[in-house]
Amino acid sequence: MEAATSAAVDGAAAGAFRSVVRRIHQAAESAGRGPHQIRLVAVSKTKPVSLVRQVYDAGHRCFGENYVQELIDKAPQVSSLSLPEDIEWHFIGNLQSNKVKPLLGKISLIERLAIDSLQIANRLDRMVESLGRKPLKVFVQVNTSGEESKNGVEPSECMELAKHVSERCLNLEFCGLMTIGMLDYSSTPENFKGQTLANCRSEVCKALGIEEEQCELSMGMSNDFEQAIEMGSTNVRVGSVIFGAREYAKK
């Protein structure tokens, strides 16, 4: 019975993934954009490798994690679990300075991660240089909602951090901006649907002398990824809609 239940859950995850892909395509079409312009990051936070593998087998390669240790545990270089090495990992959680070395020191497949301070940027830069790996792509995380519980620099500070990464961190590559809107964004659309992040992108691109198309926008999660696509998001981070409600250990 337990094995049958596990198989049913796995099958549900693959089906949910395909449904999300269809919804992304529909949202992109409605917004006059091509589906190829949106990257889906399947966030497997708290979920077992078996579910990640099921979505992988359904054709997906881009996965994200919120916790350093969980990503380390799942990565094939340090784990005996059966996840392939061609997965593109995104770290989307709050990265503390003391976690930089364990994360990058053990995993070479990290493709993108978010930063919210000069200290983290400098630490990452030194670590990537010491590893001799290719430049690491980073998002500057912006707190567009003004909530103290959210990580990210203030909108007024994002240009300074983006310039620092681009001009002083030779082993990092600024690739865009990331934000997390309020859960009830519909009642306060200015934090998500409004111009806050768009204005940040315009200022950053002007300061860096790049086109806005060169600056990715990572916004939108399970409850709002279609609206995020409408607002120009190029990366949506979908977890519970694909994998089911997150499961936390009881304290």
Side-chain angles (χ1 to χ4, degrees):
M1 175 64 75
E2 185 174 311
T5 301
S6 176
V9 172
D10 285 351
F17 159 70
R18 296 186 183 96
S19 176
V20 167
V21 170
R22 287 193 295 270
R23 289 170 62 184
I24 288 174
H25 286 201
Q26 291 167 356
E29 183 178 353
S30 296
R33 304 173 63 195
H36 64 280
Q37 294 178 291
I38 294 96
R39 177 186 294 107
L40 167 61
V41 182
V43 183
S44 53
K45 179 180 177 182
T46 78
K47 294 302 178 178
V49 165
S50 60
L51 291 185
V52 178
R53 182 70 202 218
Q54 185 70 20
V55 176
Y56 175 94
D57 289 343
H60 199 55
R61 295 294 181 271
C62 183
F63 293 85
E65 286 294 342
N66 289 70
Y67 298 130
V68 170
Q69 190 57 51
E70 189 168 1
L71 180 47
I72 290 174
D73 289 344
K74 290 177 180 177
Q77 295 101 318
V78 294
S79 172
S80 61
L81 301 174
S82 57
L83 286 180
E85 293 194 358
D86 63 340
I87 287 179
E88 176 185 303
W89 289 105
H90 290 220
F91 183 73
I92 59 178
N94 180 33
L95 182 61
Q96 300 172 336
S97 290
N98 64 341
K99 297 293 185 179
V100 170
K101 184 174 182 178
L103 181 64
L104 294 186
K106 293 186 178 181
I107 303 174
S108 62
L109 299 178
I110 293 288
E111 177 66 20
R112 285 171 170 78
L113 53 77
I115 61 172
D116 59 7
S117 72
L118 294 174
Q119 180 184 18
I120 291 294
N122 291 336
R123 187 75 180 270
L124 277 172
D125 185 54
R126 293 192 296 269
M127 189 65 195
V128 173
E129 181 180 28
S130 70
L131 293 173
R133 59 161 285 169
K134 66 180 181 179
L136 178 65
K137 294 180 180 180
V138 298
F139 287 101
V140 168
Q141 184 168 351
V142 186
N143 186 339
T144 57
S145 69
E147 295 171 281
E148 292 184 3
S149 60
K150 298 285 175 61
N151 296 313
V153 298
E154 294 296 319
S156 61
E157 300 170 353
C158 69
M159 182 175 68
E160 178 186 356
L161 183 52
K163 283 191 68 175
H164 179 82
V165 170
S166 296
E167 297 175 359
R168 297 182 179 275
C169 299
L170 301 182
N171 301 288
L172 303 182
E173 179 183 342
F174 170 75
C175 67
L177 303 175
M178 170 187 170
T179 195
I180 300 173
M182 293 181 180
L183 290 177
D184 184 17
Y185 71 89
S186 59
S187 65
T188 53
E190 64 277 3
N191 93 91
F192 184 76
K193 295 184 67 176
Q195 295 299 310
T196 302
L197 201 65
N199 287 342
C200 286
R201 178 168 66 171
S202 296
E203 293 174 1
V204 166
C205 291
K206 183 176 180 180
L208 300 183
I210 61 176
E211 299 294 327
E212 291 194 3
E213 291 74 17
Q214 295 175 266
C215 180
E216 299 180 37
L217 291 183
S218 179
M219 59 183 186
M221 299 186 292
S222 287
N223 65 321
D224 56 16
F225 67 88
E226 287 154 313
Q227 290 82 4
I229 291 170
E230 179 186 349
M231 293 299 113
S233 178
T234 61
N235 289 261
V236 293
R237 311 178 301 272
V238 182
S240 59
V241 169
I242 295 174
F243 295 105
R246 289 168 177 168
E247 301 167 2
Y248 296 97
K250 292 182 180 180
K251 295 183 180 180

